[in-house]
Amino acid sequence: MAVESNGSSVCFGSKLPDIKFTKLFINGEFVDALSGKTFETIDPRTGEVIARIAEGDAEDVDLAVKAARNAFDHGPWPRLPGSNRRRIMLKFADLVEQNIEELAALDAIDAGKLFSMGKAIDIPSVVNTLQYYAGAADKIHGKMLKMSRELQGYTLREPIGVVGHITPWNYPSNMFFMKASPALAAGCTMVIKPAEQTPLSALYYAHLSKLAGVPDGVINVITGFGPTAGAAISSHMDIDKVSFTGSTEVGRLVMQAAAASNLKPVSLELGGKSPLLIFNDANVDTAARLAFLGVFSNKGELCVASSRVLVQEGIYDELVEKLAKKAKAWVVGDPFDPSSCQGPQVDKNQYDKILSYIEHGKREGATLLIGGKPCGEKGYYIEPTIFTNVMDNMLIAQDEIFGPVMSLMKFKTIDEGIKRANATRYGLAAGIVTKDLNVANTVSRSIRAGVVWINCYVAFDTDCPYGGYKMSGFGRELGLETLDQYLQVKAVVTPIYDSPWL
Amino acid sequence: MAAQSNGNPAEPFIKIPNIKFTKLFINGQFVDSVSGKTFETIDPRTEEVITRIAEGGKEDVDLAVKAARDAFDSGSWPRLPGCERRRIMLKFADLIEENTEELAALDAIDGGKLFHFAKTTDIPSAADTFRYYAGAADKIHGETLKMSRELQAYTLREPIGVVGHITPWNFPAQMFSAKVGPSLAAGCTMVVKPAEQTCLSALFYAHLSKLAGIPDGVINVIAGYGHTAGAAISSHMDIDKVSFTGSTAVGRLIMQAAAMSNLKPVSLELGGKSPVLIFEDADVDKAVDLALLGTLFNKASEFSSFGFNHVYIKYFLAFWPNSKLLNFLTFFQGEICVAGSRVFVQEGIYEEFVKKLAEGVKSWVVGDPFDPDVRQGPQVDKKQYERVLSYIEHGKREGATLLAGGKPCDRKGYYIEPTIFADVRDDMIIAKEEIFGPVMSVFKFKTMDEAIKRANATEYGLAAGIVTNDLNIANTVSRSIRAGVVWINCYFAFDRDLPYGGYKLSGFGRDFGMDALDKYLQVKAVATPIHNSPWL
């Protein structure tokens, strides 16, 4: 694992990007924070500073909201025909596509994400998301109502107004567009606060939006911290809706701030402790592959991570053996190295937190099958870690770890599997591995979670909505459902006279 | 139904019902509260006690949630085919209809609602709301998705779980049916807390639900106060969703409690300060009728809004032509969230409008809600009565022209004269705050743009009215007003298929229509690989 210093411009044959945008993006211009303050964004491969970024606070959020408010109340964006918004969004998508390499590299140095994945999957899927919602912009329909007397009634779907988006650091690009694209299609204007760990690509997207012709004030990006900039967004009296993805504890603060300010509606995509249920009839190779994919992809920094793997007793031993073997071939290393399967954790905080959960697991008496330690000489790298014989009441079985830590549990019957899978305060995702159609149907209906993947995992798709049951939040991302979060329903009624029918 | 005076003066209009149900309804049984406490429910016509009701607190809510949780997790209701739920809900609706007279009388003595409106409109419309959602119970569809690779995927719409409903006192029947109807259809179980002022009919519905065959634990009714029982519901860790209708101040507490507990999703239908815009081309007589209906309809308003059946139509169609229905828009006690309390009149017809309004309101009879000639009953309780009177004093002090009313009526009970202020300015308190009483404010405007701007200059956004025959004005203004319902040449035109709810501080989420069902359903996406499919 060769980790090059920040000063060098090439890493494993890939060009490291110049950092072009480090300021707040307000009303179409890159500007310093009013306070003049900046903060460091760190390369998790090395722990070194990449760049200093303008640190937005409440007064910068005020300016951004003012710009977004003007753009909504008086600007062209919400008043354009949907087809014109579509055209501009498609242009935006084209520009993202033309800069895939640079954007993937930004997320790799800022978040430690695998460069190859970014290039081949993450950024292209962003293009796809923008194009998907671009195609929805001219298909936003109200309904004609069936009134019970001589009245004509219909509904209009109108943009909700100024939206605040608060996004996490694990998928900086995907989260930016899961939120910005449907809001753009709906005709909203917005203030986006990317996670302070990963501001770089968001600022780049702001730049591209301007090139694409998205009018000034429609997209504003405020880089900064949650307790300052994030709090200012959630409690702002002139923001009409907040969409948040992140931890359950911060989601709680966002919802409280919304309630205490202008009662803006909120959508929350929060934590998870998602189960993967593997049944006796499953193909062991498939099961092992999905278990790995579910909890080790993106270094386990995945809200839908299958961090509880429940295995039926008949296949348990064989699966454990397979997983141990598989783990040996799993390469942890620099995200620019094409042979790497897993990069560094996003920052020191996260790195320390994961290691402390691993220590908990050991102390609580789970069997450490593999991993369990940091790796690499510098940077925030952790070995893929698998615990077996995990009990439901252990901390590692209950808390969201958000790192490469798998807990294996054994179960006997379908009913027991369902019951234990549901014994969590979360309900974001679930996986089922079986060939039996009846098992698949029963279990998928029984699990209280927003997404159920059968014989697949992390199978996100633009047309497939996902979001939480229980304390994993409410509201949905992706799919046409998401558009609803950014639209108001207005009902209009007028008497009708002499209509031949009702 | 035996006559009972409840201490009232002689009842020439109708027999007052015996009060049969005064206890909490938990797991299919009427029970005392755990604490043994009770509270008084007052007849707003006389300020006298009707009866004492069990006062539910936190521990009673816990019991009710436990029953609802069991009914959801292990009971039959969410597992029934939709058509079975439909059948039971239709039976429930029939039972409500069979008891219309008694239910209407309960709301009249408890909420001061006009008895004849309740009988002809409120209660029948509540029954019909159950029928509407009964018909939806077997039509809850997911979608098959168009995936971008070899995956088969679909969505399931599943009941969200245990629902908490907190309802207000202004339309007890409609609010109960608007919340309970769709959540029953979705397969949810629930804890309902009616307003402490108007518990009687809710307990009667609980009784009827059992007769209809709704399983024990599916509907639980906890009578009690907001800061105890209501707070226990909104902060409960085992309630999956809270639906609230009431004031913005309380809505805020509920959303905070939800955030601090289990982050349950919330829907809020809150206050309003809804504008009615009357343009120069409007028929002034009709406009006056609509304005009165829109504001004064407090006690009267209740009936016409949701019920809208025969009486409503009769009122509208019969009264409109000869403009006797003057007060419709604002008065009728004005205890309605969508009250058209800000009436904007274009300058060309302003003088004529104000003159006719002053005449029209004279025919507005305030009195006992059981009297069929009465247009406006008493305000619901002493607190509300005093609050409305204090706003009227504000209006006088701030210099608005008092066109009519302005004082309590000279009789026992919480009666207030229908009150109209003209020449109101946008910055006066009566122009900005929700009064929730029979008080109309009239403003003058010049251009359409000005009217739109001033109509939108409010923190609320629940409803709006437009009176014009000009199609272009109607289209421009209806699109421009930031409000959840826009009524053109009508007002209070509620309908079961018509979703309504707020923009801005008026809340979020929709009641009625198929939109309301979504609040009680989860979306679950299921995906699986497909192999060798002939197409994607």
Side-chain angles (χ1 to χ4, degrees):
Chain A
M1 185 171 68
V3 177
E4 302 201 5
S5 85
N6 206 26
S8 109
S9 61
V10 175
C11 184
F12 292 100
S14 301
K15 189 175 175 302
L16 289 185
D18 291 332
I19 306 303
K20 297 173 186 157
F21 308 105
T22 59
K23 296 185 179 184
L24 313 179
F25 188 73
I26 299 178
N27 209 20
E29 304 296 333
F30 283 100
V31 295
D32 288 319
L34 283 177
S35 68
K37 282 205 281 186
T38 58
F39 65 99
E40 295 173 345
T41 187
I42 306 282
D43 187 336
R45 301 174 306 151
T46 60
E48 285 161 16
V49 177
I50 305 168
R52 295 197 69 92
I53 308 285
E55 183 183 336
D57 201 342
E59 69 253 32
D60 304 294
V61 168
D62 282 347
L63 286 179
V65 173
K66 193 160 177 292
R69 185 86 257 163
N70 272 325
F72 187 78
D73 288 348
H74 310 292
W77 190 251
R79 289 162 191 85
L80 286 178
S83 55
N84 286 20
R85 286 204 295 272
R86 181 191 64 206
R87 200 175 44 72
I88 293 169
M89 290 173 69
L90 290 175
K91 177 85 199 274
F92 192 3
D94 289 345
L95 290 172
V96 173
E97 196 160 35
Q98 288 161 23
N99 291 278
I100 283 182
E101 192 120 345
E102 186 165 355
L103 287 159
L106 284 177
D107 282 349
I109 61 169
D110 216 12
K113 293 180 69 70
L114 293 183
F115 177 65
S116 57
M117 287 284 285
K119 221 169 60 167
I121 296 177
D122 290 353
I123 311 298
S125 94
V126 154
V127 174
N128 192 31
T129 301
L130 255 175
Q131 288 174 345
Y132 175 87
Y133 288 108
D138 54 1
K139 297 166 197 74
I140 293 172
H141 302 143
K143 288 184 211 178
M144 287 305 304
L145 306 174
K146 198 73 187 165
M147 306 291 276
S148 57
R149 53 200 164 115
E150 286 78 16
L151 290 169
Q152 164 158 293
Y154 58 91
T155 55
L156 294 169
R157 318 287 320 257
E158 300 184 333
I160 200 167
V162 176
V163 177
H165 297 298
I166 304 177
T167 64
W169 41 260
N170 59 340
Y171 283 88
S173 295
N174 303 79
M175 293 295 172
F176 186 96
F177 285 99
M178 269 184 213
K179 294 186 186 298
S181 315
L184 283 173
C188 294
T189 63
M190 61 206 76
V191 178
I192 305 178
K193 192 199 91 60
E196 63 271 20
Q197 293 88 344
T198 55
L200 297 176
S201 57
L203 293 171
Y204 201 101
Y205 292 125
H207 160 68
L208 294 181
S209 77
K210 178 147 182 157
L211 291 185
V214 176
D216 292 351
V218 172
I219 295 181
N220 303 273
V221 178
I222 300 291
T223 49
F225 294 92
T228 51
I233 288 172
S234 21
S235 65
H236 206 286
M237 290 301 288
D238 223 10
I239 287 181
D240 300 304
K241 149 95 199 172
V242 169
S243 160
F244 171 78
T245 299
S247 71
T248 296
E249 70 218 55
V250 176
R252 190 188 296 284
L253 297 176
V254 168
M255 188 170 171
Q256 274 181 283
S261 55
N262 62 344
L263 290 153
K264 58 181 79 64
V266 168
S267 53
L268 303 173
E269 202 266 271
L270 308 174
K273 192 73 191 176
S274 300
L276 173 66
L277 291 100
I278 298 170
F279 290 88
N280 281 339
D281 72 316
N283 177 301
V284 182
D285 289 324
T286 305
R289 180 175 59 80
L290 292 177
F292 254 70
L293 178 72
V295 79
F296 296 139
S297 55
N298 205 49
K299 0 142 201 171
E301 292 169 355
L302 195 65
C303 52
V304 295
S306 59
S307 49
R308 294 185 297 144
V309 179
L310 290 99
V311 188
Q312 204 164 15
E313 55 183 359
I315 195 179
Y316 186 87
D317 293 333
E318 195 187 348
L319 183 76
V320 166
E321 204 177 300
K322 195 71 106 190
L323 288 172
K325 205 179 290 170
K326 222 173 153 57
K328 285 185 189 133
W330 189 259
V331 181
V332 180
D334 191 292
F336 284 96
D337 183 342
S339 66
S340 291
C341 305
Q342 181 186 320
Q345 308 308 131
V346 73
D347 65 8
K348 180 132 198 326
N349 244 343
Q350 196 57 29
Y351 171 81
D352 289 341
K353 189 180 143 208
I354 295 163
L355 290 174
S356 109
Y357 272 114
I358 291 173
E359 289 313 306
H360 262 297
K362 293 179 189 167
R363 248 203 322 276
E364 284 179 306
T367 307
L368 184 67
L369 181 69
I370 200 122
K373 315 185 291 299
C375 58
E377 282 158 24
K378 59 178 174 175
Y380 311 129
Y381 296 91
I382 296 177
E383 292 177 353
T385 299
I386 301 177
F387 284 107
T388 60
N389 302 315
V390 177
M391 315 287 291
D392 293 358
N393 60 3
M394 290 178 182
L395 203 61
I396 54 169
Q398 292 182 337
D399 282 11
E400 183 176 41
I401 297 175
F402 227 67
V405 182
M406 185 192 299
S407 292
L408 280 173
M409 292 121 130
K410 198 190 288 185
F411 72 92
K412 288 188 177 158
T413 65
I414 294 186
D415 281 355
E416 183 201 341
I418 291 169
K419 205 167 167 193
R420 290 172 62 190
N422 277 333
T424 166
R425 58 185 179 275
Y426 296 112
L428 194 52
I432 302 169
V433 192
T434 182
K435 289 179 199 135
D436 186 318
L437 185 59
N438 292 326
V439 172
N441 281 341
T442 304
V443 179
S444 61
R445 295 247 172 178
S446 302
I447 300 290
R448 303 287 289 167
V451 195
V452 179
W453 288 301
I454 304 168
N455 297 330
C456 55
Y457 208 85
V458 209
F460 286 107
D461 200 289
T462 38
D463 199 39
C464 186
Y466 87 97
Y469 281 46
K470 301 196 273 186
M471 285 176 78
S472 293
F474 47 85
R476 293 292 180 268
E477 306 275 1
L478 296 178
L480 286 175
E481 317 272 339
T482 305
L483 263 181
D484 294 346
Q485 291 175 189
Y486 304 110
L487 292 168
Q488 281 280 20
V489 176
K490 177 190 277 180
V492 183
V493 186
T494 176
I496 39 171
Y497 301 104
D498 305 319
S499 174
W501 43 71
L502 259 188
Chain B
M1 189 166 68
Q4 181 185 314
S5 81
N6 285 321
N8 294 329
E11 277 302 342
F13 311 119
I14 189 69
K15 290 175 179 172
I16 300 297
N18 267 321
I19 307 301
K20 296 173 186 156
F21 307 105
T22 60
K23 295 185 178 184
L24 313 178
F25 187 75
I26 298 177
N27 209 19
Q29 304 298 325
F30 283 100
V31 295
D32 289 318
S33 62
V34 172
S35 69
K37 282 206 280 190
T38 58
F39 66 101
E40 295 174 345
T41 188
I42 307 281
D43 186 335
R45 301 173 305 157
T46 60
E47 306 171 46
E48 281 160 18
V49 177
I50 303 170
T51 183
R52 297 194 67 91
I53 311 269
E55 181 184 337
K58 185 179 177 309
E59 61 271 48
D60 304 292
V61 169
D62 283 347
L63 288 176
V65 173
K66 193 166 177 298
R69 185 87 258 163
D70 280 351
F72 186 77
D73 287 349
S74 333
S76 59
W77 190 250
R79 289 162 191 83
L80 285 178
C83 58
E84 288 296 305
R85 286 204 296 272
R86 181 191 64 206
R87 201 180 45 73
I88 294 170
M89 289 174 70
L90 289 174
K91 175 88 196 234
F92 189 15
D94 290 345
L95 289 171
I96 291 170
E97 205 160 73
E98 285 165 24
N99 291 276
T100 296
E101 189 119 347
E102 188 165 355
L103 286 161
L106 287 176
D107 285 348
I109 60 169
D110 212 15
K113 295 185 68 72
L114 296 183
F115 175 71
H116 56 286
F117 282 132
K119 204 172 83 168
T120 52
T121 305
D122 285 6
I123 309 299
S125 99
D128 260 4
T129 298
F130 279 108
R131 292 193 183 102
Y132 174 89
Y133 288 111
D138 55 0
K139 296 165 196 76
I140 293 172
H141 303 142
E143 287 173 318
T144 303
L145 307 174
K146 197 74 185 166
M147 304 293 273
S148 55
R149 54 205 164 110
E150 285 76 18
L151 290 169
Q152 162 160 296
Y154 56 90
T155 55
L156 294 167
R157 319 284 323 255
E158 300 185 333
I160 199 166
V162 177
V163 178
H165 295 298
I166 304 179
T167 64
W169 40 260
N170 59 341
F171 290 90
Q174 278 86 355
M175 292 295 171
F176 187 90
S177 59
K179 293 190 186 296
V180 172
S183 49
L184 279 178
C188 294
T189 64
M190 63 207 72
V191 179
V192 184
K193 192 201 90 62
E196 64 270 20
Q197 294 90 342
T198 54
C199 298
L200 297 178
S201 57
L203 294 170
F204 202 108
Y205 293 123
H207 159 70
L208 295 179
S209 77
K210 177 147 183 157
L211 291 186
I214 292 178
D216 292 351
V218 172
I219 296 180
N220 303 273
V221 178
I222 300 291
Y225 293 97
H227 61 278
T228 50
I233 287 172
S234 29
S235 65
H236 206 286
M237 291 301 288
D238 224 9
I239 288 182
D240 299 304
K241 149 95 201 170
V242 169
S243 161
F244 170 75
T245 298
S247 71
T248 298
V250 175
R252 191 186 294 284
L253 296 177
I254 284 170
M255 188 169 170
Q256 280 178 303
M260 283 186 289
S261 53
N262 62 345
L263 291 152
K264 58 180 79 62
V266 168
S267 54
L268 304 173
E269 203 267 273
L270 308 174
K273 192 73 193 177
S274 299
V276 177
L277 294 92
I278 298 169
F279 289 89
E280 280 173 354
D281 73 308
D283 177 319
V284 176
D285 291 332
K286 281 186 188 177
V288 165
D289 287 350
L290 276 177
L292 287 170
L293 168 69
T295 306
L296 302 189
F297 208 27
N298 164 345
K299 293 310 178 172
S301 61
E302 29 177 320
F303 70 90
S304 65
S305 340
F306 297 72
F308 54 70
N309 49 16
H310 326 295
V311 168
Y312 180 71
I313 290 178
K314 202 167 82 195
Y315 261 74
F316 264 64
L317 302 187
F319 276 69
W320 263 23
N322 51 22
S323 95
K324 286 290 188 320
L325 201 59
L326 240 337
N327 285 2
F328 245 28
L329 276 205
T330 305
F331 297 123
F332 262 122
Q333 286 137 314
E335 285 168 352
I336 182 159
C337 46
V338 295
S341 49
R342 293 185 299 143
V343 177
F344 291 91
V345 184
Q346 203 163 15
E347 55 182 1
I349 58 169
Y350 184 82
E351 299 305 332
E352 186 190 353
F353 177 86
V354 166
K355 192 165 145 263
K356 288 192 168 165
L357 193 62
E359 282 163 19
V361 76
K362 284 180 198 153
S363 65
W364 196 255
V365 182
V366 181
D368 192 303
F370 282 94
D371 181 342
D373 293 332
V374 157
R375 297 281 169 70
Q376 180 185 324
Q379 307 308 127
V380 73
D381 65 10
K382 186 147 196 298
K383 207 171 135 203
Q384 193 56 29
Y385 169 80
E386 286 170 353
R387 192 166 163 262
V388 174
L389 290 175
S390 106
Y391 274 115
I392 291 174
E393 288 314 305
H394 265 298
K396 293 180 191 166
R397 249 202 321 277
E398 284 179 306
T401 308
L402 184 67
L403 200 64
K407 1 178 250 308
C409 297
D410 185 21
R411 59 178 292 161
K412 194 175 179 189
Y414 309 129
Y415 295 89
I416 296 178
E417 291 178 355
T419 298
I420 302 177
F421 285 108
D423 308 319
V424 180
R425 288 194 321 270
D426 295 0
D427 60 349
M428 291 178 180
I429 288 176
I430 53 169
K432 292 197 292 197
E433 295 186 12
E434 185 178 38
I435 298 175
F436 227 63
V439 182
M440 185 196 300
S441 294
V442 183
F443 308 70
K444 195 193 290 185
F445 73 91
K446 286 187 180 161
T447 66
M448 182 176 71
D449 282 354
E450 178 203 341
I452 290 169
K453 207 167 165 192
R454 290 171 64 190
N456 277 334
T458 166
E459 54 195 359
Y460 295 110
L462 194 51
I466 302 170
V467 189
T468 183
N469 280 326
D470 184 317
L471 185 59
N472 292 326
I473 292 177
N475 281 340
T476 304
V477 179
S478 62
R479 295 245 172 181
S480 302
I481 301 289
R482 302 288 288 167
V485 192
V486 179
W487 287 300
I488 304 168
N489 297 333
C490 56
Y491 209 81
F492 293 129
F494 289 99
D495 201 293
R496 275 169 293 276
D497 201 38
L498 180 85
Y500 94 100
Y503 280 48
K504 302 196 273 186
L505 278 183
S506 293
F508 49 84
R510 293 293 178 267
D511 279 324
F512 287 102
M514 296 300 287
D515 287 75
L517 260 182
D518 292 346
K519 299 195 292 191
Y520 306 112
L521 292 167
Q522 281 280 20
V523 176
K524 178 190 277 180
V526 183
T528 178
I530 39 170
H531 305 289
N532 308 316
S533 172
W535 41 71
L536 260 188

